[in-house]
Every structure is written in C-alpha cells, then in structure tokens.
Amino acid sequence: MSSSQESSGSVTTIDALLQETRTFPPSAAFAAQANVRDASIYQVAHDDPEGFWASAANRLDWFQRWERVLEWDAPWAKWFVGGKLNASYNCVDRHIKTARRNKAAIIWEGEPGDTRVLTYRDLYREVNRFAAVLLDLGVRKGDRVAFYMPMIPELAIGLLACARIGAPHTVIFGGFSAESLRDRINDSQAKLCVTADGGWRRGGVVPLKDTTDAAVAQTPSIEHVLVIQRVGSDVRQVQMQEGRDVWYHEALGRITQKYVEPEQLDSEHPLYIMYTSGTTGKPKGQLHTTGGYLVGTSLTHEWIFDLKEDDVYWCTADIGWVTGHSYIVYGPLANGASVVMYEGAPDFPDKDRFWDLVEKYGITILYTAPTSIRTFMRWGDQYPAMHDLSSLRLMGTVGEPINPEAWIWYHNNIGHGNCPIVDTWWQTETGEIMITPLPGIIATKPGSATRPFPGIEADILDEAGNSVPNNVGGNLVIKRPWPAMSRTIWGDPDRYVATYWSKYPGVYLTGDGARRDDDGYFWLLGRVDDVVNVSGHRLGTMEVESALVSHPAVAEAAVIGASDPITGQAIVAFVTPRSGQQPNDALTAELKEHVVQSIGALARPKRIYYTAELPKTRSAKIMRRLLRDIAEGRVLGDTTTLLDPNVVAQIKEQYAASEG
Ligand code: PRX
C-alpha cells in the first residue's frame, strides 16, 4: 500500500479499490446524445476559468449584468460583482414565460401514498403566496428564517419564497433534536421558524412541532412559528401558542396579495446558511450567496446529470442537507427540471418503495447515497426485480466513497448495465459538485469520483504543501475559487480562515484525503480530521463527546468513527465513568439516548466501551488515532508518546472481548 495518508477509517481502503480494475466508458449511444461531448472543455476552462464561469452565468436571468466575474482577495471571494438577480425568479418566474409553465416542477409523493404534482405555474403561485405570508409576519430582506420540516412541497416553496424577498433561510434536518434546533436558531438569530404538525416516517408521525416548541422556548430571536398542516388534527393535535404560532393555511386565508415582486438582489446577497459539523463541538454555519451559487449548481446539474427537457429527476436526499438545497431545489429548478420528491422511508410499506417510485413516475435520473445502495444490497435483489426500471438512463452517488462492490451492484441491479454512474464528490462548503465524471466523455472506474469538474483546480498535497506523486495519498485541496463556494462561516469569519485557508495559505483545505492514479483519476480516502461520516452525514467527534460528557455519569469521553458495512462509518465511544458509577447495560442505553436527545438520532453511538482512562499524549491530548486503530483491528503505530501505555492494552483487551 503506497498511501501515507491516515484516513479516518472509511470502508473504502486502497486495497479494496485495487481489486476492481474494470473501467466503464459511456456507451456510444449515450455519448452521442450527451450534453457535453467535447473533452476540450477541460482545457478551455483551465486556460480561462473566469471566462468559463462567465459564460456559464449567461444561463441565468440577471436584472443587472455583473461588472467583474471574480474579486479574489484570498480567502474572500465575490462572484459576478455588481450583478443583480433573484434565485426565486430564476427557478420559477422565468419558466412560466415559456412552454415550461405547464411542465411538472415538483412531483411529490407522501409516505402514505398521497400525491401532488405542481407545475411551474402552480409553483409560481405557491411561492408568491408563501412570500406574502412571510411579509405579513414581518419578515424582511436580510432576516433569517429557520425551517424544521418534513419533505413536503411547502419546504421547497418556503425556501424559494425566502429567496424571493431576500431573507436567508436555514434548514435544520428534521432528525435533529430540540437542542440542535435551538442552537442553530440562536446562532443564526432567525426571526421565524417554519415547521409542520408532523411528517410521516415508517407509518408513524415525526412530532416536529413538539420538538420545535421545546427548542423555541429558548430562542429569544424567534417572533413567530409558522405551522404547515401536514398530518392533520385527527392524526396529531399540536399546541398552538397564542400570539406566537400561526397556521399556514389560516395565514393564507388572511393575505390579499397574490404577487410579491422578487427583490433585485446583489449577486453576493446571502441565500442561505447551512450548518455542518467540524472538528469542534460547535457546528459551522456555511454561508452561501446568490449569483455564484446558482451558476455553479445549475451548470453542474445540467452537465453531470445530462439533464434533458423531458427527464424525470429524483435526488433521494432530504432538503435538510446541502444535497437537497443544491440538487433538489436550486440547481434543478433553475434548469426547469421535473423533480421528484418523496416524504418517507425506503422500506415503507415494503422494501421496494424506491423502485416502485421509479416505475410509477418513469424516473430517468436517480441520485442517491452509497449507504442506501448497501442497504438495498442487503435487502436483496428481489426488490428492484419486482419493478420495471427501464426508464432509468443515468445514476449518481454522493456522500461518501462508494465501495466497488456497491457500485457494481447499483450498475447491474438498478441500471441493468445501461446507465452511466456519476460518483460526485463535494461538500456543504463547496456548494456544488467538484469532482465527478462528465458522463458522455469520462470512462468511470468503480470507487473513483474521477476528475475535477471543468474550472475546478483540485490537487493533492503533502504536509509541506507539495503536490504528491501519483498513487500516494495526501490532503485534497482546491487551488482556485469557484462560484458556489461558501463565503464564510456565519458570525465567525476567523474560524473560516483558520479551518479552510490556513494550512496552505490561499488554498482551500477540504479535510479529505485522496490519491490520484496514473490516469489522473481521484480516489477519495475519507476524512483526515475528526469528522465522522455516518450514512453520508457529517458528525464531529467533539460534538458527540460534548454530548456524552454532559451526562452526570461521564467523566471523559472519546469518540471515533469505526468502519461499518452499511453506514460507512459508525460512532464508537470510549467512556470513563465518574467514580462511583458502575458501567452496565442500563447506563449504556441511557448514554445512547442522551446523545440522541442532545444531537439527534443520527448521532446515536453504535457501541460504547468503558475504560478507566483514555490514551493521552504527555500534553494530555486524547489519541483518537490509537482508538481507531484498536477499533479497526490494525497494528498499533508508535505509542511512545503515550502518557501511560498500559491504558491502550486494557482498552484493546476489552474491545477484543466485546467483539467475541
Ligand atoms: O468526506 C467527503 C464525503 O462527505 C464530506 C462532505 O459531507 P457534507 O458536507 O455533509 O456533504 C455531503 C454531500 C455533498 C466530504 O468531505 N463525500 C461526499 N461525497 C463523496 C464523499 N467522499 C467520497 N466520495 C464522494 N462522492
């Protein structure tokens, strides 16, 4: 193994990748019809990146054209300086002036099987009405609006309504706890929180309004809670606090305004804040702005997914994550695509639900996550086999490295060998897809995200900042600004500089390890920092550690990501109990629940080990690397810097015993 990179233990090891050596060129038929057929675009964009992005910006409607493509005072970027536009206008208004007005914009299916199809004309009407309600509730340009919602059309409508009046939104995934919601609302100082009386998940109701009530009891900035009726009062009664809480359908009944003029916003006007985990306990609010973001997401969406006018496109992510923002809402709708949206679980009422949806709606493009693909593999080939999947013509993956076995299964069982697979690497911070095949010209290799998108200059550096040779691991970096990049961390510009732009000045540090092969293909090797990727969702080990130590029985905790065959990585915690506390199954269950209450179900530790002490360096730093090595069964590296080498032996023994 030639890598010197310490990956945080993702399922994709170089050894596993090397076992699959086939390449998959696009079929002649696909290549002939692809949106991008000429590979010279890579050189063109490389030679003149600003010219490349400027020509991409022509795809949008601007109220006022930009004066300068890029203003770059590292690490501060401004794109399309002087330009004025509106994201909601670009995603909705401009389409209703064309034949697209009667085209399906959102094809929605609720988990119980109820459906709604909104044409672009319908979407236009609904976005205007929602914007009128926002104004009625006192929301103005620049005010932040939080969303804590199920996957229903009102979520997309609400975001576009915010964009229309220039109020940045911040969506908090519906699986997060009240505490997480509270902290994000307080950090963004949102004025309004939009939620629902519930959402359907595996036949049950997710009590979003109750959780919101618990959160907003401690968020002084919130003036109103706007509640969408999704499940209905016969299913679930919610408490409405007089003066604060407003039913959306009642608010709609009060407004008389049917049209809200889209604000002519500066290209750099904040569009949204998306919180993501980092290496400290506090999530970072990534700030995305308007012009560059819309250029980046819409261009990548059209080129990478080879979007055609008659495609039916389904991205299975939740809008609570960046994938949903960029590739359910802004990119696809700016492109006038027909977007499928599904509310519920993939195994409800049975494990063929996704394939049922593909067949029912004739889905042509499917974008999902490796963890889902591995789950489908485990469920068995019979579920996709129950349905006609022949409408599919292209498939994508995102969120973590895909192991070649899952890639091949996806290719054979879902794509029936006919669909190019685009493995797309990007991040909340990058806003848009950065490393990916262009499906008409790039032959794919299972497990590799292949090449940087045109105009993106990616490199792999060693600790000293030199480009590493082929087949050697290093730090993945981006050497030039790109339009959809996060502009700063909300309220904490110093942290933005320190986290991303300080290791190599003027160069963006991704936090991922990677290597390049002899064909120049990039192979992602997982995170190199203390960020864990569980089912494609990012969690900081520090966040989980803070949650654990806030429990009265815990003196100290260290958290790592250990390889997991389904979720990629799983949370494993090592806990030192306070004296007098007896570790037992009841405490383990209690601690797991405590983490769920503090952060959300996605952070639930899979295993908890108790140890009298944690391995620390002489300067008292917890050596998570050693704990990872133990969890992965690796030979332990250098332990000479340890304060007490016996600690490791004891933990190892316990780990081995529990593994049986
Ligand atoms: O480690 C990389 C992994 O997910 C991280 C970004 O997570 P997040 O900001 O939550 O965004 C997820 C969706 C864009 C990256 O730093 N990652 C994402 N896509 C891939 C990936 N790792 C390997 N291959 C991918 N295609």
Side-chain angles (χ1 to χ4, degrees):
M1 179 142 114
S2 49
S3 167
S4 61
Q5 187 60 46
E6 189 204 338
S7 141
S8 57
S10 112
V11 281
T12 310
T13 63
I14 292 181
D15 288 342
L17 292 172
L18 289 177
Q19 286 159 21
E20 174 60 65
T21 52
R22 281 176 288 172
T23 59
F24 294 78
S27 69
F30 187 93
Q33 61 80 63
N35 287 347
V36 187
R37 289 189 285 265
D38 184 353
S40 69
I41 191 67
Y42 285 100
Q43 195 60 45
V44 168
H46 178 265
D47 293 345
D48 179 15
E50 289 184 28
F52 171 76
W53 292 117
S55 72
N58 287 325
R59 60 193 293 107
L60 300 181
D61 281 16
W62 298 80
F63 298 127
Q64 190 177 304
R65 201 180 156 82
W66 61 92
E67 283 150 18
R68 253 162 309 141
V69 178
L70 170 67
E71 205 177 280
W72 179 230
D73 178 13
W76 311 112
K78 287 186 182 159
W79 281 90
F80 308 111
V81 185
K84 288 201 188 307
L85 78 168
N86 184 287
S88 131
Y89 182 91
N90 274 281
C91 290
V92 188
D93 301 44
R94 63 173 177 155
H95 302 313
I96 65 162
K97 297 178 179 155
T98 73
R100 281 185 185 148
R101 76 174 68 83
N102 294 321
K103 177 177 174 176
I106 296 177
I107 301 169
W108 175 81
E109 182 156 314
E111 192 186 74
D114 46 341
T115 60
R116 275 168 78 188
V117 177
L118 286 98
T119 63
Y120 273 94
R121 188 70 183 71
D122 295 332
L123 186 61
Y124 170 79
R125 185 185 62 239
E126 296 304 324
V127 168
N128 273 287
R129 287 176 1 130
F130 203 119
V133 168
L134 293 175
L135 292 174
D136 189 52
L137 290 172
V139 179
R140 295 289 177 269
K141 178 177 166 183
D143 291 341
R144 275 79 63 204
V145 178
F147 285 81
Y148 187 65
M149 288 276 282
M151 280 284 285
I152 56 175
E154 280 73 15
L155 176 50
I157 292 164
L159 302 190
L160 292 167
C162 284
R164 194 168 192 85
I165 64 170
H169 51 76
T170 182
V171 185
I172 295 99
F173 172 61
F176 276 117
S177 67
E179 284 179 38
S180 296
L181 177 59
R182 176 200 65 196
D183 292 348
R184 287 158 175 76
I185 289 175
N186 283 336
D187 189 82
S188 63
Q189 289 289 292
K191 199 168 172 180
L192 175 74
C193 181
V194 186
T195 187
D197 59 349
W200 290 102
R201 185 84 191 168
R202 281 203 185 89
V205 173
V206 184
L208 296 160
K209 174 65 167 67
D210 300 4
T211 309
T212 302
D213 288 342
V216 300
Q218 296 172 30
T219 58
S221 63
I222 291 289
E223 292 173 6
H224 291 289
V225 176
L226 183 62
V227 188
I228 319 282
Q229 193 170 53
R230 160 64 185 130
V231 296
S233 54
D234 46 334
V235 175
R236 187 168 185 97
Q237 293 281 348
V238 296
Q239 298 294 323
M240 297 294 281
Q241 185 178 306
E242 183 78 35
R244 184 195 71 186
D245 298 354
V246 181
W247 282 109
Y248 180 60
H249 57 276
E250 289 180 5
L252 278 179
R254 279 195 300 272
I255 51 138
T256 49
Q257 210 179 341
K258 292 190 174 144
Y259 174 75
V260 174
E261 186 77 20
E263 287 275 344
Q264 304 207 357
L265 299 170
D266 189 90
S267 176
E268 284 297 330
H269 187 78
L271 180 61
Y272 69 83
I273 302 166
M274 167 62 64
Y275 286 89
T276 189
S277 296
T279 49
T280 71
K282 192 169 177 281
K284 301 182 289 224
Q286 301 295 340
L287 179 70
H288 285 288
T289 60
T290 308
Y293 178 78
L294 220 51
V295 170
T297 54
S298 66
L299 179 76
T300 50
H301 181 257
E302 186 186 318
W303 283 16
I304 297 164
F305 299 103
D306 195 48
L307 184 77
K308 302 292 196 292
E309 200 59 66
D310 58 354
D311 272 314
V312 181
Y313 164 86
W314 184 26
C315 166
T316 68
D318 192 288
I319 292 178
W321 307 108
V322 75
T323 306
H325 281 53
S326 297
Y327 297 106
I328 297 177
V329 181
Y330 289 108
L333 296 177
N335 289 336
S338 292
V339 177
V340 173
M341 208 175 145
Y342 169 58
E343 177 187 31
D347 55 351
F348 192 87
D350 207 346
K351 298 186 176 69
D352 66 331
R353 185 64 182 270
F354 272 27
W355 319 124
D356 181 54
L357 288 167
V358 169
E359 178 172 1
K360 181 171 175 185
Y361 295 110
I363 289 165
T364 57
I365 302 171
L366 175 68
Y367 190 29
T368 193
T371 185
S372 305
I373 297 168
R374 289 192 296 269
T375 303
F376 300 141
M377 280 174 76
R378 193 187 53 181
W379 287 346
D381 302 356
Q382 66 274 27
Y383 293 105
M386 286 160 66
H387 295 278
D388 177 3
L389 305 181
S390 60
S391 57
L392 287 173
R393 63 180 202 90
L394 182 136
M395 307 186 304
T397 75
V398 61
E400 54 175 315
I402 183 164
N403 47 316
E405 192 193 355
W407 196 104
I408 297 290
W409 185 88
Y410 194 36
H411 180 76
N412 291 338
N413 291 274
I414 309 302
H416 295 292
N418 302 319
C419 300
I421 296 179
V422 288
D423 175 354
T424 62
W425 177 90
W426 58 296
Q427 307 176 298
T428 304
E429 292 87 338
T430 69
E432 61 178 290
I433 296 170
M434 303 290 279
I435 304 181
T436 175
L438 283 176
I441 45 185
I442 301 290
T444 53
K445 302 185 190 184
S448 168
T450 76
R451 294 181 58 169
F453 189 81
I456 302 297
E457 195 183 332
D459 200 356
I460 304 171
L461 304 183
D462 65 16
E463 290 303 304
N466 304 311
S467 229
V468 295
N470 287 348
N471 303 309
V472 173
N475 292 312
L476 178 67
V477 299
I478 313 293
K479 287 179 141 171
R480 228 195 263 280
W482 63 100
M485 66 198 278
S486 157
R487 298 300 194 260
T488 189
I489 293 174
W490 182 259
D492 201 349
D494 293 346
R495 193 169 168 205
Y496 178 75
V497 177
T499 310
Y500 306 111
W501 302 94
S502 295
K503 187 174 175 88
Y504 310 114
V507 171
Y508 172 77
L509 181 72
T510 66
D512 275 33
R515 78 178 171 98
R516 218 173 348 213
D517 69 15
D518 292 330
D519 297 325
Y521 279 41
F522 284 69
W523 299 77
L524 280 304
L525 302 173
R527 299 290 302 194
V528 295
D529 53 12
D530 291 320
V531 169
V532 180
N533 190 328
V534 182
S535 298
H537 302 318
R538 262 163 81 165
L539 279 167
T541 51
M542 281 276 288
E543 280 172 85
V544 186
E545 287 165 5
S546 325
L548 283 166
V549 296
S550 73
H551 189 281
V554 177
E556 222 178 8
V559 164
I560 57 152
S563 298
D564 183 276
I566 299 295
T567 58
Q569 289 187 296
I571 300 278
V572 172
F574 297 84
V575 166
T576 306
R578 282 189 192 279
S579 63
Q581 292 289 339
Q582 277 315 310
N584 53 34
D585 290 351
L587 180 62
T588 301
E590 197 178 313
L591 292 181
K592 287 183 180 177
E593 200 42 43
H594 182 72
V595 174
V596 172
Q597 288 302 321
S598 308
I599 303 174
L602 68 165
R604 183 194 300 275
K606 190 164 183 198
R607 291 192 293 273
I608 295 182
Y609 296 95
Y610 295 97
T611 161
E613 265 184 85
L614 292 167
K616 291 193 188 139
T617 61
R618 290 192 184 100
S619 55
K621 256 188 92 179
I622 296 176
M623 293 187 74
R624 291 195 191 79
R625 179 180 57 81
L626 280 181
L627 296 171
R628 282 203 295 263
D629 287 346
I630 294 170
E632 305 290 346
R634 281 195 289 261
V635 180
L636 295 188
D638 184 12
T639 55
T640 50
T641 51
L642 270 183
L643 189 62
D644 177 3
N646 289 326
V647 170
V648 171
Q650 282 157 16
I651 297 176
K652 234 180 128 175
E653 228 165 73
Q654 212 208 93
Y655 202 91
S658 76
E659 294 279 281

